[in-house]
Amino acid sequence: MTPTVQRRIQLSLVVLGVLVTLIGAVIVAGAFRNDSKIDANRATAVAEVIAADRLHAAVNFVTPDGVLRNPKLGLLYPTQLATGQRILVDYDASDPDTLARPAGRNGSLSITPAVSIVAAGWVVVIVLMVSVAEIGRRGRRG
């Protein structure tokens, strides 16, 4: 492998690492943005969890105008919920069909997964960069 090819591969890997870091930042920023939209017009209701798994929870709740709501994308921060459970949800009163979260949860719950994604991404990038450097070194020696 020529030094030019090696350098281009390693620069591409650094760009990949920066992209993974940006993805992590967008995850956290998006969570806090959603929270601020909910907090700007917050209303609370009792909801029933109609479906739940590790990454998604669907709920039904009734708003003060008597309309049954089911947020299209489910709840934000859906961990540790079970089907049939009744919980309090905070929702955006101006758009109850879009943003809802279990009461008491917020964007800070997105930090750990985002940091994990960024850390794992950089570990992969660093391992690949060291491997490319070693392959280049062996190619020049041999």
Side-chain angles (χ1 to χ4, degrees), residues 47-60 70-71 73-87 89 102 105:
E48 181 177 355
V49 179
I50 55 175
D53 59 33
R54 256 185 64 227
L55 301 175
H56 183 264
V59 297
N60 285 333
N70 182 344
L73 301 176
L75 288 181
L76 303 171
Y77 326 118
T79 56
Q80 300 174 346
L81 296 176
T83 301
Q85 190 176 7
R86 294 181 65 81
I87 61 170
V89 293
R105 297 185 185 180

Side-chain angles (χ1 to χ4, degrees), residues 9-129:
I9 291 171
Q10 288 178 325
L11 281 172
S12 298
L13 289 170
V14 168
V15 168
L16 180 64
V18 170
L19 286 174
V20 169
T21 302
L22 288 173
I23 289 169
V26 167
I27 289 170
V28 173
F32 280 98
R33 180 182 163 275
N34 286 339
D35 282 346
S36 69
K37 287 178 83 173
I38 290 172
D39 290 338
N41 295 307
R42 183 177 28 204
T44 303
V46 175
E48 181 177 355
V49 179
I50 55 175
D53 59 33
R54 256 185 64 227
L55 301 175
H56 183 264
V59 297
N60 285 333
F61 60 91
V62 178
T63 53
D65 58 3
V67 178
L68 181 67
R69 304 291 182 163
N70 182 344
K72 291 178 267 191
L73 301 176
L75 288 181
L76 303 171
Y77 326 118
T79 56
Q80 300 174 346
L81 296 176
T83 301
Q85 190 176 7
R86 294 181 65 81
I87 61 170
L88 283 178
V89 293
D90 293 332
Y91 62 93
D92 181 355
S94 65
D95 191 10
D97 291 320
T98 303
L99 292 176
R101 67 178 181 217
R105 297 185 185 180
N106 60 33
S108 64
L109 294 172
S110 68
I111 295 171
T112 301
V115 169
S116 299
I117 290 168
V118 170
W122 276 105
V123 165
V124 169
V125 165
I126 290 168
V127 166
L128 289 173
M129 286 183 75

